[in-house]
Amino acid sequence: MDTNNKQSFSKVPRRKLVDEVLEQLQHKIFSGKYQVGDQLPTEPQLMEELGVGRSTLREAVKILVHANILEVKQGKGTRIKSLNFTEDSFEARLKNADIDHINEARKMLDLQVAILAANRRTEEDLLKMKGHLDKRKKELEKGNYAEYINADIQFHLSIAEASKNIVLLDLYQSFVPILRQTLSQLILKSMDYKDNSLIHERIFMAILNQDVEKVKEYAIQNVELK
């Protein structure tokens, strides 16, 4: 399909550029003019049409890649991978499962690893958690959504690691692809995205203080806010 007929992006004003670029790219992709397999305009073309720099554009594209909408291949450009927020690939059963079932499983898993982490965490575990928590907040403030999502996932994995239960850690790692996709889609659907940093900070403090009852409360709240 000829991409020259699809160049109708407007210049992005100076505010949260990544949000604006995501919004415009989604509008264009789902406008009905693209089909699965079609190539997007080249990176220089998109930068010119959107009036943004390379880093801003690439950040937006990363989110769309994580959401399974775009696919980037070196030397071949960026193409439309899917026009749905689902995929038929590795862990398809989990990714295509009912969202309520996924949240039920996550609630049980998050709760159990957090309880164990509160009882078993070491100083090294706490340092890892705090490092990921600080990075999560910093990347969100900068609008680096892909890095924000990665730091969020690493924070939860560090809690699972602190549980000292290798089976639960492996189970949590199996959720990473769906967590990354779900968070990416949440950002795409919420252009005025606000996260639940306060709950994450409370989870950390409860684990630090080995307050199991608070850990239970905040771990459940975190999943229910997704």
Side-chain angles (χ1 to χ4, degrees):
M1 186 175 289
D2 183 9
T3 59
N4 291 327
N5 294 325
K6 308 188 190 77
Q7 299 175 6
S8 58
F9 294 105
S10 61
K11 297 293 183 180
V12 177
R14 289 293 301 179
R15 60 185 189 94
K16 290 192 72 177
L17 290 179
V18 176
D19 290 339
E20 284 289 300
V21 173
L22 279 169
E23 188 172 15
Q24 290 204 43
L25 285 174
Q26 283 189 94
H27 178 74
K28 178 59 62 176
I29 290 167
F30 293 101
S31 67
K33 295 181 180 180
Y34 281 103
Q35 297 178 9
V36 173
D38 286 348
Q39 297 286 125
L40 282 185
T42 64
E43 187 175 80
Q45 283 179 284
L46 289 174
M47 288 166 57
E48 180 179 355
E49 292 165 20
L50 291 162
V52 297
R54 180 175 283 105
S55 61
T56 299
L57 177 61
R58 288 184 175 178
E59 186 64 36
V61 169
K62 281 181 186 178
I63 295 299
L64 289 162
V65 168
H66 290 328
N68 200 46
I69 302 302
L70 296 180
E71 180 179 47
V72 178
K73 288 190 176 180
Q74 189 171 5
K76 295 185 179 180
T78 303
R79 73 176 187 90
I80 308 296
K81 183 179 180 182
S82 173
L83 292 174
N84 298 297
F85 284 120
T86 59
E87 69 175 35
D88 296 316
S89 60
F90 176 67
E91 294 177 332
R93 183 172 180 177
L94 177 61
K95 292 185 178 182
N96 293 327
D98 185 284
I99 189 63
D100 291 333
H101 294 172
I102 291 173
N103 285 336
E104 285 173 1
R106 278 198 56 212
K107 184 183 294 185
M108 294 174 63
L109 189 56
D110 275 354
L111 181 60
Q112 189 59 45
V113 297
I115 290 171
L116 291 176
N119 289 314
R120 300 174 179 176
R121 93 291 185 278
T122 64
E123 290 299 315
E124 183 180 356
D125 292 326
L126 292 171
L127 286 173
K128 285 183 180 179
M129 290 179 214
K130 187 63 165 59
H132 295 312
L133 196 59
D134 289 345
K135 182 174 177 59
R136 180 184 184 278
K137 182 177 181 179
K138 180 180 70 174
E139 298 299 347
L140 178 63
E141 290 173 350
K142 292 163 60 178
N144 293 337
Y145 289 130
E147 291 303 318
Y148 157 73
I149 289 171
N150 186 59
D152 180 87
I153 291 171
Q154 290 303 316
F155 171 70
H156 289 288
L157 282 174
S158 68
I159 294 175
E161 186 177 353
S163 75
K164 310 306 179 188
N165 185 312
I166 191 65
V167 175
L168 290 177
L169 177 58
D170 286 344
L171 282 173
Y172 212 101
Q173 288 173 329
S174 73
F175 270 82
V176 167
I178 186 60
L179 289 176
R180 181 169 283 113
Q181 182 174 337
T182 300
L183 287 169
S184 297
Q185 292 173 2
L186 183 62
I187 289 172
L188 292 179
K189 294 172 182 177
S190 306
M191 287 300 102
D192 189 24
Y193 179 74
K194 295 181 178 66
D195 84 320
N196 51 351
S197 289
L198 181 59
I199 294 296
H200 283 70
E201 292 168 4
R202 287 173 175 172
I203 291 172
F204 171 74
M205 291 304 299
I207 293 174
L208 171 68
N209 296 322
Q210 296 188 301
D211 189 334
V212 173
E213 291 306 312
K214 289 296 184 183
V215 163
K216 292 178 182 178
E217 178 184 347
Y218 299 139
I220 292 173
Q221 284 183 25
N222 180 53
V223 175
E224 291 177 344
L225 286 170
K226 295 296 183 183

